[in-house]
Amino acid sequence: MTTPLTTTKGLPDTVEAPGYDRASLRPGIFHLGPGAFMRAHLAAYTDTAIAHAGGDWGIETAGLRSRDTVDILSAQNGLYTLLVRDAEATQARVVGSIVAAHPPSAILARLVDPAIRIVSLTLTEKAYPRDAATGDLDAGHPDVAADLAEPDNPRSAGGLIVEALARRRAAGIAPFTPLSCDNLPENGAVLRRLVVGFAALRDSDLAAWIDANVPFPSTMVDRITPASTDTTYADAQHLTGRQDKAAVETEPFAQWVIEDRFASGRPDWEAAGALMVADVSPYEKMKLRMLNGTHSLVAYLGFVAGHEFMRDAMADPAIAAAARAHLACAAATLDPVPGVDLSPYADDLAARIANRAIAHRTYQIAMDGTQKLPPRIFEPAAEMLESGGEWRPFARATAAWMRYALGVDAQGTPYALRDPRETDIAAALAQTPRTADTIAAALIDLPGLFPQPLRASPDWRREVATRLDELLRGGAG
Ligand code: CS2
């Protein structure tokens, strides 16, 4: 039997190991959501930052609900292998920045520890319960309602952060900095609104204190990271000689842009290549509209055409051409982004999405469409409709999502949508004859999904229906 990865001693020379003494590393960050993305991104940046500049910035982590990854990480002393794949080779690196992994029940006490100075999050879009019309906290969301009923036993990210900050304030402990690393425009501002909104429903003094004392920097995070598979684990074992069930695989590219506002310090993430800026919003918009929007388009077109992986979808000339058109259209919605030329950026994105070395499932990206599409597709479409710019490629992406939302493939085999609004979608479609016009109308009229300018536009409705009709007839939309 192969030895599990529990120590960095004796790793082959070809494997990069942490460049610091792990035994003396103390925690400074608590990370909510120890999924593959965090292990490919924040933990890797922090590993490099500690190697360059030291500091007690070890990462403790937990999932809000599940302890699967946590148990594996604990058994491996926090160690895991990061595989970086490109066309030529796969490089293995063992990352050492995770110092402890906890069950959900331990989170609150750890967030109150003065050693924890940053609480970072990768929880996906649906962990930010917002009212679609106002952007304020959705106080009716079941997790929010449960945490308001029992504030000292919170289970949502917002409830945990508010209770931990309240306890720190009462004990005279400086606040930590909440750091959202999720794919939302102005993710720090969104989190701030939710946390302050939640606190206000409990105690207006607490809300005012958080507002005045806790910074919520926004970040743009980027690294294409598919869910790990048995191939990931087998390749990690082959390259390191250790068994590793927490291994992750990713692409060579990584980008992190962070607003430099921290209450109690931060690691030297610049040493790992992070860009510290005053305002992240131009970068975030660029990445959401160009990378993520094109990702969603290719995932939906690819999935309904029967492509399991993104790389195979991009090998289909009709889908690759649609991706190119989408990239150009998305770029045209952006204000200038400091230091970025959007034309080579678009070329790089097309190559990254098509990367043959990465097995990224179309079905993985297709999930949670109602959460992902508003900033990626609907908001730029609404802006372009209002300003007279090009918006048609956004209608194609929307139609591709609608085709996916029907929940049956071209052979008539059903699949799960994996979307928090799948019940609403099924109910809207249940009473609808299966024509493109009626399907498009039913989905555009779902409450709180499409921005008003799109709902009100006959041109938008017609274009979406036309594209959907093409897809229903088996074309590429
Ligand atoms: C993808 C992202 O799953 C998705 O919706 O678009 O996870 C994407 O891979 C990352 O944002 C890349 O940085």
Side-chain angles (χ1 to χ4, degrees):
M1 215 193 85
T2 315
T3 323
L5 176 67
T6 52
T7 164
T8 57
K9 289 200 185 66
L11 285 170
D13 291 346
T14 47
V15 176
E16 187 188 336
Y20 49 91
D21 174 20
R22 287 191 82 225
S24 57
L25 186 61
R26 301 276 164 271
I29 299 174
F30 198 98
H31 185 82
L32 297 171
F37 182 71
M38 168 270 196
R39 278 172 281 149
H41 196 270
L42 177 132
Y45 272 89
T46 305
D47 191 62
T48 307
I50 297 167
H52 276 266
D56 282 337
W57 292 110
I59 302 169
E60 298 194 12
T61 188
L64 293 183
R65 306 256 189 282
S66 149
R67 53 182 295 161
D68 300 351
T69 307
V70 156
D71 286 342
I72 296 166
L73 283 171
S74 293
Q76 297 182 181
N77 293 323
L79 292 171
Y80 65 95
T81 313
L82 180 61
L83 299 179
V84 179
R85 296 193 194 276
D86 66 17
E88 278 80 50
T90 297
Q91 184 66 40
R93 162 181 179 187
V94 168
V95 176
S97 54
I98 297 182
V99 293
H102 301 279
S105 57
I107 299 174
L108 182 57
R110 296 303 304 132
L111 297 194
V112 183
D113 185 331
I116 299 301
R117 284 152 290 150
I118 293 175
V119 175
S120 50
L121 300 81
T122 51
L123 293 169
T124 79
E125 296 84 342
K126 53 182 178 286
Y128 298 74
R130 283 169 298 165
D131 179 297
T134 63
D136 286 336
L137 177 76
D138 175 5
H141 188 284
D143 290 347
V144 178
D147 285 357
L148 284 169
E150 231 186 320
D152 52 0
N153 183 25
R155 60 181 191 176
S156 71
L160 281 159
I161 290 173
V162 170
E163 179 62 13
L165 288 172
R167 291 187 190 189
R168 288 174 84 114
R169 177 182 177 228
I173 302 169
F176 50 71
T177 301
L179 187 68
S180 170
C181 300
D182 283 300
N183 276 328
L184 302 165
E186 302 186 57
N187 49 15
V190 169
L191 182 60
R192 176 176 169 278
R193 211 159 152 188
L194 297 189
V195 166
V196 173
F198 187 98
L201 293 173
R202 286 181 49 177
D203 167 354
S204 57
D205 281 355
L206 175 63
W209 182 83
I210 294 176
D211 205 23
N213 293 288
V214 183
F216 288 83
S218 289
T219 66
M220 180 268 250
V221 292
D222 188 7
R223 196 166 207 184
I224 291 178
T225 305
S228 299
T229 64
D230 287 343
T231 310
T232 320
Y233 307 133
D235 286 0
Q237 178 161 328
H238 174 71
L239 290 167
T240 63
R242 308 295 169 80
Q243 190 193 66
D244 178 3
K245 288 287 182 202
V248 288
E249 60 176 89
T250 192
E251 60 173 344
F253 181 91
Q255 193 175 19
W256 199 7
V257 188
I258 310 170
E259 285 174 359
D260 202 0
R261 297 184 280 116
F262 287 78
S264 307
R266 61 166 174 83
D268 184 7
W269 283 316
E270 294 100 315
L275 185 62
M276 309 304 299
V277 299
D279 176 13
V280 103
S281 53
Y283 301 92
E284 182 72 38
K285 229 182 212 183
M286 169 186 81
K287 191 256 173 177
L288 272 164
R289 293 183 178 188
M290 292 185 69
L291 188 158
N292 296 112
T294 310
H295 239 189
S296 292
L297 167 80
V298 172
Y300 292 123
L301 287 179
F303 184 87
V304 300
H307 297 300
E308 184 176 4
F309 296 112
M310 295 294 280
R311 60 190 180 196
D312 301 327
M314 286 294 277
D316 178 331
I319 297 180
R324 280 293 185 176
H326 194 94
L327 283 166
C329 177
T333 71
L334 300 171
D335 294 329
V337 186
V340 183
D341 182 342
L342 293 179
S343 172
Y345 181 72
D347 293 342
D348 290 348
L349 289 181
R352 288 173 60 202
I353 299 172
N355 184 353
R356 302 289 319 158
I358 298 283
H360 204 179
R361 289 203 155 76
T362 51
Y363 193 39
Q364 182 184 345
I365 297 169
M367 75 189 294
D368 292 348
T370 58
Q371 306 291 307
K372 291 176 174 177
L373 293 193
R376 297 178 182 198
I377 304 292
F378 304 157
E379 283 162 23
E383 280 174 25
M384 290 303 105
L385 252 175
E386 291 196 310
S387 69
E390 175 60 282
W391 52 269
R392 283 180 174 76
F394 298 117
R396 170 162 45 201
T398 303
W401 166 71
M402 289 179 172
R403 172 64 192 83
Y404 171 84
L406 296 181
V408 280
D409 69 16
Q411 282 67 48
T413 311
Y415 50 83
L417 289 196
R418 305 199 301 174
D419 189 294
R421 295 197 65 184
E422 62 194 11
T423 315
D424 294 352
I425 292 171
L429 294 175
Q431 301 126 20
T432 307
R434 294 287 157 126
T435 68
D437 279 349
T438 50
I439 294 166
L443 295 177
I444 290 172
D445 291 334
L446 274 178
L449 184 57
F450 283 81
Q452 190 51 30
L454 298 184
R455 294 168 69 117
S457 163
D459 288 346
W460 170 260
R461 287 175 179 267
R462 197 174 318 112
E463 182 70 12
V464 171
T466 304
R467 293 300 190 171
L468 178 60
D469 191 50
E470 285 166 18
L471 286 169
L472 292 172
R473 291 171 197 277

